[in-house]
C-alpha cells in the first residue's frame, strides 16, 4: 500500500502548481481603439482594454508622433464601469503615424508593457 503515497504527493503538487499559476496572472493588452496597426480618422482619445484589472496610479501611456513629440492631452483614467479599460485623451491629430507605449500594473502587482502604432489617414477617412 505504500506506492499510493507518492501518487498522492504528486497529485497534491500538481494541484498546488495549477492554483499558483492562476494567482500569477498578468494584465496584457487585449485590444485598443484605435486598433493596433489600424488606419483611422483622428481619434479624440485612445482606449486600451486589458485582460486583468489595472492600477492607474502605477500605470502609464504615452502617444507620440513621428518626430517623437507627445500628442496625448492628459492623464490616463480607468473607466468607472470597467477596471480593465483605460482612457487617454489625445490632441487634435494631423495625418501621420503615431506610436503608443504603455505599461500597466495589474491589481495583483505584476507589471507588463508594450507598444504599437496606428495611422491617422489624410482627409479623415478610413483605409
Amino acid at each position: 500500500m505504500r506506492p499510493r503515497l507518492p501518487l498522492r504527493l504528486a497529485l497534491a503538487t500538481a494541484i498546488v502548481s495549477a492554483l499558483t499559476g492562476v494567482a500569477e496572472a498578468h494584465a496584457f493588452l487585449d485590444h485598443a481603439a484605435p486598433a493596433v496597426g489600424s488606419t483611422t480618422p483622428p481619434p479624440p482619445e485612445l482606449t486600451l482594454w486589458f485582460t486583468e484589472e489595472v492600477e492607474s496610479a502605477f500605470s502609464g501611456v504615452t502617444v507620440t508622433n513621428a518626430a517623437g513629440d507627445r500628442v496625448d492631452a492628459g492623464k490616463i483614467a480607468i473607466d468607472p464601469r470597467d477596471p480593465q479599460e483605460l482612457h487617454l485623451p489625445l490632441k487634435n491629430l494631423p495625418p501621420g503615424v503615431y506610436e503608443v507605449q504603455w505599461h500597466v500594473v495589474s491589481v495583483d502587482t505584476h507589471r507588463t508593457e508594450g507598444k504599437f502604432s496606428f495611422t491617422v489617414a489624410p482627409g479623415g477617412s478610413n483605409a
Side-chain angles (χ1 to χ4, degrees):
M1 295 248 178
R2 291 213 179 247
R4 290 189 178 192
L5 182 60
L7 180 60
R8 288 182 183 163
L9 182 60
L11 182 59
T13 302
I15 291 171
V16 169
S17 295
L19 292 175
T20 303
V22 171
E24 294 181 3
H26 292 60
F28 294 105
L29 182 64
D30 184 63
H31 63 286
V36 174
S38 68
T39 299
T40 181
E45 74 173 6
L46 173 71
T47 305
L48 304 174
W49 287 268
F50 292 90
T51 58
E52 300 284 331
E53 295 180 16
V54 296
E55 293 285 347
S56 64
F58 304 107
S59 302
V61 181
T62 59
V63 182
T64 55
N65 61 19
D69 300 321
R70 287 186 68 166
V71 297
D72 45 279
K75 294 183 178 184
I76 59 170
I78 293 180
D79 190 299
R81 296 161 296 177
D82 184 355
Q84 294 177 235
E85 184 177 328
L86 289 179
H87 297 270
L88 179 66
L90 299 173
K91 296 177 181 176
N92 187 16
L93 302 181
V97 177
Y98 295 89
E99 183 174 89
V100 176
Q101 291 190 323
W102 60 267
H103 67 273
V104 295
V105 174
S106 61
V107 293
D108 65 3
T109 70
H110 290 103
R111 178 184 164 107
T112 55
E113 60 186 65
K115 63 181 177 178
F116 67 91
S117 63
F118 66 90
T119 301
V120 171
S125 65
N126 284 326

PDB file of all heavy atoms in Angstrom, residues 98-110:
ATOM      1  N   TYR A  98       1.442  57.237 -35.468  1.00  0.00           N
ATOM      2  CA  TYR A  98       1.571  57.517 -34.039  1.00  0.00           C
ATOM      3  C   TYR A  98       1.935  56.235 -33.299  1.00  0.00           C
ATOM      4  O   TYR A  98       1.430  55.160 -33.613  1.00  0.00           O
ATOM      5  CB  TYR A  98       0.262  58.096 -33.493  1.00  0.00           C
ATOM      6  CG  TYR A  98      -0.018  59.428 -34.123  1.00  0.00           C
ATOM      7  CD1 TYR A  98      -0.734  59.519 -35.312  1.00  0.00           C
ATOM      8  CD2 TYR A  98       0.498  60.590 -33.576  1.00  0.00           C
ATOM      9  CE1 TYR A  98      -0.956  60.740 -35.925  1.00  0.00           C
ATOM     10  CE2 TYR A  98       0.283  61.814 -34.188  1.00  0.00           C
ATOM     11  CZ  TYR A  98      -0.434  61.878 -35.358  1.00  0.00           C
ATOM     12  OH  TYR A  98      -0.640  63.094 -35.968  1.00  0.00           O
ATOM     13  N   GLU A  99       2.838  56.369 -32.330  1.00  0.00           N
ATOM     14  CA  GLU A  99       3.262  55.220 -31.532  1.00  0.00           C
ATOM     15  C   GLU A  99       2.689  55.339 -30.129  1.00  0.00           C
ATOM     16  O   GLU A  99       2.762  56.397 -29.505  1.00  0.00           O
ATOM     17  CB  GLU A  99       4.783  55.131 -31.457  1.00  0.00           C
ATOM     18  CG  GLU A  99       5.229  53.893 -30.680  1.00  0.00           C
ATOM     19  CD  GLU A  99       6.727  53.682 -30.707  1.00  0.00           C
ATOM     20  OE1 GLU A  99       7.392  54.216 -29.817  1.00  0.00           O
ATOM     21  OE2 GLU A  99       7.191  52.982 -31.623  1.00  0.00           O
ATOM     22  N   VAL A 100       2.141  54.248 -29.653  1.00  0.00           N
ATOM     23  CA  VAL A 100       1.595  54.147 -28.301  1.00  0.00           C
ATOM     24  C   VAL A 100       2.541  53.276 -27.493  1.00  0.00           C
ATOM     25  O   VAL A 100       2.880  52.163 -27.906  1.00  0.00           O
ATOM     26  CB  VAL A 100       0.191  53.493 -28.324  1.00  0.00           C
ATOM     27  CG1 VAL A 100      -0.337  53.302 -26.903  1.00  0.00           C
ATOM     28  CG2 VAL A 100      -0.771  54.306 -29.178  1.00  0.00           C
ATOM     29  N   GLN A 101       2.998  53.785 -26.360  1.00  0.00           N
ATOM     30  CA  GLN A 101       3.798  52.991 -25.421  1.00  0.00           C
ATOM     31  C   GLN A 101       3.020  52.940 -24.114  1.00  0.00           C
ATOM     32  O   GLN A 101       2.578  53.972 -23.623  1.00  0.00           O
ATOM     33  CB  GLN A 101       5.171  53.606 -25.199  1.00  0.00           C
ATOM     34  CG  GLN A 101       6.056  53.520 -26.425  1.00  0.00           C
ATOM     35  CD  GLN A 101       7.487  53.907 -26.123  1.00  0.00           C
ATOM     36  OE1 GLN A 101       7.759  54.806 -25.349  1.00  0.00           O
ATOM     37  NE2 GLN A 101       8.417  53.209 -26.752  1.00  0.00           N
ATOM     38  N   TRP A 102       2.865  51.747 -23.594  1.00  0.00           N
ATOM     39  CA  TRP A 102       2.095  51.582 -22.366  1.00  0.00           C
ATOM     40  C   TRP A 102       2.823  50.662 -21.382  1.00  0.00           C
ATOM     41  O   TRP A 102       3.613  49.821 -21.775  1.00  0.00           O
ATOM     42  CB  TRP A 102       0.698  51.017 -22.671  1.00  0.00           C
ATOM     43  CG  TRP A 102       0.693  49.684 -23.347  1.00  0.00           C
ATOM     44  CD1 TRP A 102       0.650  49.459 -24.692  1.00  0.00           C
ATOM     45  CD2 TRP A 102       0.761  48.388 -22.731  1.00  0.00           C
ATOM     46  NE1 TRP A 102       0.679  48.113 -24.946  1.00  0.00           N
ATOM     47  CE2 TRP A 102       0.746  47.430 -23.761  1.00  0.00           C
ATOM     48  CE3 TRP A 102       0.840  47.949 -21.411  1.00  0.00           C
ATOM     49  CZ2 TRP A 102       0.796  46.061 -23.511  1.00  0.00           C
ATOM     50  CZ3 TRP A 102       0.903  46.587 -21.155  1.00  0.00           C
ATOM     51  CH2 TRP A 102       0.872  45.664 -22.188  1.00  0.00           C
ATOM     52  N   HIS A 103       2.551  50.911 -20.123  1.00  0.00           N
ATOM     53  CA  HIS A 103       2.946  49.982 -19.065  1.00  0.00           C
ATOM     54  C   HIS A 103       1.834  50.015 -18.020  1.00  0.00           C
ATOM     55  O   HIS A 103       1.265  51.084 -17.752  1.00  0.00           O
ATOM     56  CB  HIS A 103       4.310  50.336 -18.441  1.00  0.00           C
ATOM     57  CG  HIS A 103       4.301  51.612 -17.678  1.00  0.00           C
ATOM     58  ND1 HIS A 103       4.517  52.835 -18.264  1.00  0.00           N
ATOM     59  CD2 HIS A 103       4.070  51.869 -16.370  1.00  0.00           C
ATOM     60  CE1 HIS A 103       4.441  53.792 -17.349  1.00  0.00           C
ATOM     61  NE2 HIS A 103       4.166  53.229 -16.188  1.00  0.00           N
ATOM     62  N   VAL A 104       1.490  48.868 -17.521  1.00  0.00           N
ATOM     63  CA  VAL A 104       0.443  48.787 -16.512  1.00  0.00           C
ATOM     64  C   VAL A 104       0.876  47.848 -15.402  1.00  0.00           C
ATOM     65  O   VAL A 104       1.689  46.948 -15.604  1.00  0.00           O
ATOM     66  CB  VAL A 104      -0.913  48.307 -17.085  1.00  0.00           C
ATOM     67  CG1 VAL A 104      -1.484  49.310 -18.071  1.00  0.00           C
ATOM     68  CG2 VAL A 104      -0.819  46.942 -17.712  1.00  0.00           C
ATOM     69  N   VAL A 105       0.313  48.100 -14.242  1.00  0.00           N
ATOM     70  CA  VAL A 105       0.475  47.199 -13.104  1.00  0.00           C
ATOM     71  C   VAL A 105      -0.916  46.671 -12.793  1.00  0.00           C
ATOM     72  O   VAL A 105      -1.847  47.447 -12.583  1.00  0.00           O
ATOM     73  CB  VAL A 105       1.078  47.923 -11.885  1.00  0.00           C
ATOM     74  CG1 VAL A 105       1.100  47.003 -10.673  1.00  0.00           C
ATOM     75  CG2 VAL A 105       2.484  48.421 -12.207  1.00  0.00           C
ATOM     76  N   SER A 106      -1.043  45.355 -12.818  1.00  0.00           N
ATOM     77  CA  SER A 106      -2.342  44.749 -12.527  1.00  0.00           C
ATOM     78  C   SER A 106      -2.590  44.781 -11.025  1.00  0.00           C
ATOM     79  O   SER A 106      -1.679  45.028 -10.229  1.00  0.00           O
ATOM     80  CB  SER A 106      -2.392  43.320 -13.063  1.00  0.00           C
ATOM     81  OG  SER A 106      -1.414  42.534 -12.448  1.00  0.00           O
ATOM     82  N   VAL A 107      -3.822  44.512 -10.644  1.00  0.00           N
ATOM     83  CA  VAL A 107      -4.164  44.540  -9.224  1.00  0.00           C
ATOM     84  C   VAL A 107      -3.408  43.488  -8.429  1.00  0.00           C
ATOM     85  O   VAL A 107      -3.320  43.590  -7.215  1.00  0.00           O
ATOM     86  CB  VAL A 107      -5.691  44.408  -9.005  1.00  0.00           C
ATOM     87  CG1 VAL A 107      -6.414  45.617  -9.536  1.00  0.00           C
ATOM     88  CG2 VAL A 107      -6.226  43.137  -9.622  1.00  0.00           C
ATOM     89  N   ASP A 108      -2.827  42.492  -9.128  1.00  0.00           N
ATOM     90  CA  ASP A 108      -2.003  41.504  -8.416  1.00  0.00           C
ATOM     91  C   ASP A 108      -0.525  41.909  -8.406  1.00  0.00           C
ATOM     92  O   ASP A 108       0.328  41.104  -8.105  1.00  0.00           O
ATOM     93  CB  ASP A 108      -2.195  40.103  -8.994  1.00  0.00           C
ATOM     94  CG  ASP A 108      -1.710  39.977 -10.429  1.00  0.00           C
ATOM     95  OD1 ASP A 108      -1.178  40.953 -10.977  1.00  0.00           O
ATOM     96  OD2 ASP A 108      -1.864  38.891 -11.009  1.00  0.00           O
ATOM     97  N   THR A 109      -0.232  43.166  -8.752  1.00  0.00           N
ATOM     98  CA  THR A 109       1.080  43.837  -8.682  1.00  0.00           C
ATOM     99  C   THR A 109       2.078  43.438  -9.761  1.00  0.00           C
ATOM    100  O   THR A 109       3.236  43.791  -9.672  1.00  0.00           O
ATOM    101  CB  THR A 109       1.753  43.678  -7.303  1.00  0.00           C
ATOM    102  OG1 THR A 109       2.175  42.333  -7.119  1.00  0.00           O
ATOM    103  CG2 THR A 109       0.842  44.115  -6.174  1.00  0.00           C
ATOM    104  N   HIS A 110       1.663  42.744 -10.790  1.00  0.00           N
ATOM    105  CA  HIS A 110       2.585  42.402 -11.871  1.00  0.00           C
ATOM    106  C   HIS A 110       2.575  43.499 -12.931  1.00  0.00           C
ATOM    107  O   HIS A 110       1.531  43.987 -13.326  1.00  0.00           O
ATOM    108  CB  HIS A 110       2.206  41.063 -12.505  1.00  0.00           C
ATOM    109  CG  HIS A 110       2.456  39.910 -11.603  1.00  0.00           C
ATOM    110  ND1 HIS A 110       1.463  39.272 -10.926  1.00  0.00           N
ATOM    111  CD2 HIS A 110       3.614  39.299 -11.254  1.00  0.00           C
ATOM    112  CE1 HIS A 110       1.985  38.305 -10.201  1.00  0.00           C
ATOM    113  NE2 HIS A 110       3.289  38.301 -10.374  1.00  0.00           N
TER     114      HIS A 110
END
